[in-house]
Amino acid sequence: MTNKTTVRVLRGQPTSDGGGVRLTRVISPNQGLDPFLLLDEFDSAEASDYLAGFPAHPHRGFETVTYMLDGHMLHEDHLGNRGHLRPGGVQWMTAGRGIIHSEMPQQEAGRMRGFQLWINLPGRDKMKPAGYRDLDPAQIPTVELAGGRVRVVAGALPSSTAKDGAGEHGTFVTGPIAGGATEPLYFDVAVDAGRELTLPVPATHQTLAYTFEGAPRVGGRELPKGSLGILVNG
């Protein structure tokens, strides 16, 4: 097995999007991290920072992954789909040949926190029909490992212990999103203080790690809160 090494660390930049939602843009499309086109973190307890939401807007040719940590958002699209995003939930949307959707807050106070990631689609899939999956927290398995725990949103992770949602398949725990054009791995990782975790990632995958709490060492470098590490094969 080849270890991944962190070769570059990025810090997000404050910006606004949608109707004026304040957020931190961690990845933008001009940074050359294909298939990752964009990563935004939104986190505020000030209602004025998020109440404007993201009114109806179009997407085409990529996938959007919204992961909620706190708060409540409502998604609607022009195909008639409608779904709620609550703490621990995920929306995985494939824009394909085109979709018009909105994401609007369903609260007038309290903390709103989460992420949106854009994943590019290969050319052969850019004109596929649009679709999406709303994933409740209970659908996302948690893998307990010596030294921490991992929520498996997409892909598979070796484990001897799994709880909630999808079960074990052989020696692997598979998340609700598996396979697809880019064969994505999406893990929410919590490491216990003073411990170490090793997670398998294919050598051919573009690998990124973002710290939203704490300051772990990833691939040999410390990643303080708000830092994105770009990893390569060591």
Side-chain angles (χ1 to χ4, degrees):
M1 181 177 67
T2 301
N3 291 330
K4 297 276 189 178
T5 301
T6 297
V7 295
R8 187 179 172 198
V9 177
L10 304 177
R11 299 284 298 190
Q13 300 298 318
T15 187
S16 64
D17 210 335
V21 177
R22 293 189 180 183
L23 47 82
T24 298
R25 181 142 295 163
V26 185
I27 299 172
S28 58
N30 62 0
Q31 287 176 298
L33 296 176
D34 192 72
F36 303 115
L37 300 176
L38 177 142
L39 175 62
D40 286 341
E41 178 181 13
F42 47 94
D43 182 5
S44 181
E46 295 292 331
S48 59
D49 289 344
Y50 60 75
L51 276 181
F54 301 90
H57 58 281
H59 287 311
R60 181 176 178 270
F62 56 87
E63 296 183 297
T64 69
V65 184
T66 307
Y67 185 23
M68 292 293 290
L69 298 176
D70 297 284
H72 181 192
M73 300 270 283
L74 173 67
H75 158 90
E76 296 179 290
D77 65 39
H78 81 283
L79 301 175
N81 297 311
R82 193 171 189 268
H84 291 269
L85 272 165
R86 294 185 172 89
V90 174
Q91 182 201 84
W92 198 289
M93 186 179 78
T94 300
R97 63 192 178 207
I99 195 167
I100 299 172
H101 80 144
S102 63
E103 297 152 303
M104 299 301 293
Q106 300 299 292
Q107 62 191 60
E108 296 182 355
R111 190 178 190 184
M112 180 77 73
R113 181 171 66 144
F115 307 92
Q116 186 166 99
L117 175 68
W118 293 6
I119 305 173
N120 200 12
L121 288 170
R124 66 180 182 275
D125 291 318
K126 286 186 178 292
M127 293 301 289
K128 69 190 300 184
Y132 84 104
R133 290 184 64 183
D134 276 328
L135 305 174
D136 291 329
Q139 294 177 264
I140 301 172
T142 298
V143 179
E144 299 287 350
L145 300 171
R149 62 213 55 83
V150 181
R151 298 189 80 213
V152 184
V153 176
L157 185 68
S159 175
S160 58
T161 305
K163 62 182 183 180
D164 299 331
E168 293 188 48
H169 299 274
T171 59
F172 286 81
V173 176
T174 302
I177 303 296
T182 57
E183 298 185 355
L185 302 178
Y186 193 119
F187 300 149
D188 179 355
V189 182
V191 182
D192 297 335
R195 301 300 297 273
E196 181 176 299
L197 287 181
T198 299
L199 305 178
V201 177
T204 53
H205 272 43
Q206 173 82 277
T207 306
L208 310 176
Y210 182 71
T211 301
F212 62 92
E213 290 182 358
R217 289 185 65 81
V218 180
R221 291 182 63 172
E222 183 177 277
L223 286 186
K225 180 180 178 180
S227 299
L228 177 89
I230 302 170
L231 289 82
V232 299
N233 298 325

